[in-house]
Amino acid sequence: MTDNAGAQRPSSLAAETSVSGLSDEFVEAIRAYATSRNEKLRMVYDEGIMALVERIKGGEEIFFPASVAGRSVGSAWKARHIRLSREAKDAMNDMCGSLRVHKSVFFHRAMRDYLSSNGIDAPD
């Protein structure tokens, strides 16, 4: 979308998606990291997703568990709506399709690896 002057509106630059199986503690670790960097969650999500996409494109073999970590048998999955750049959302969706990995599993792995690479031991 553009306004009358031809500039893109921020709403056209972001996309929303949902992921499941993330514990409150895990989400809080991501939020605390974003706050410590004075960045929006979307920026941290984008960096984590794109870092994992680039690793895979670079030939690194990544193991994805069959289910989302932290989900115990019989527990309800808590859906969370997250905002990403369109580029990160499209890259994640494309990679999930080619690897046949659920986006919730991919997102969890991307954020866990990203936090770990920045010295944070995130809970499941």
Side-chain angles (χ1 to χ4, degrees):
M1 274 189 253
T2 60
D3 61 18
N4 292 339
Q8 281 194 316
R9 293 183 198 161
S11 63
S12 67
L13 301 175
E16 190 170 293
T17 191
S18 64
V19 292
S20 306
L22 306 178
S23 71
D24 291 338
E25 295 82 10
F26 185 73
V27 173
E28 185 52 41
I30 300 168
R31 185 174 288 117
Y33 179 72
T35 300
S36 75
R37 290 184 50 190
N38 199 30
E39 291 195 16
K40 293 182 179 182
L41 276 172
R42 190 188 96 199
M43 299 301 292
V44 172
Y45 294 154
D46 285 357
E47 288 176 16
I49 289 166
M50 296 309 290
L52 185 56
V53 166
E54 291 305 315
R55 286 171 51 202
I56 294 167
K57 285 182 176 181
E60 186 175 338
E61 191 171 330
I62 304 290
F63 170 76
F64 292 96
S67 63
V68 175
R71 181 178 188 269
S72 59
V73 176
S75 68
W77 283 48
K78 185 175 186 178
R80 297 180 188 271
H81 298 282
I82 58 171
R83 292 185 62 77
L84 305 169
S85 67
R86 291 206 182 273
E87 177 186 16
K89 181 181 178 187
D90 291 345
M92 180 173 69
N93 288 342
D94 291 347
M95 192 60 65
C96 289
S98 67
L99 296 174
R100 300 179 59 114
V101 172
H102 191 278
K103 71 180 175 182
S104 294
V105 174
F106 186 92
F107 181 81
H108 187 270
R109 176 66 191 259
M111 295 314 302
R112 174 166 289 296
D113 288 1
Y114 179 74
L115 291 174
S116 178
S117 72
N118 286 288
I120 298 168
D121 186 26
D124 283 334

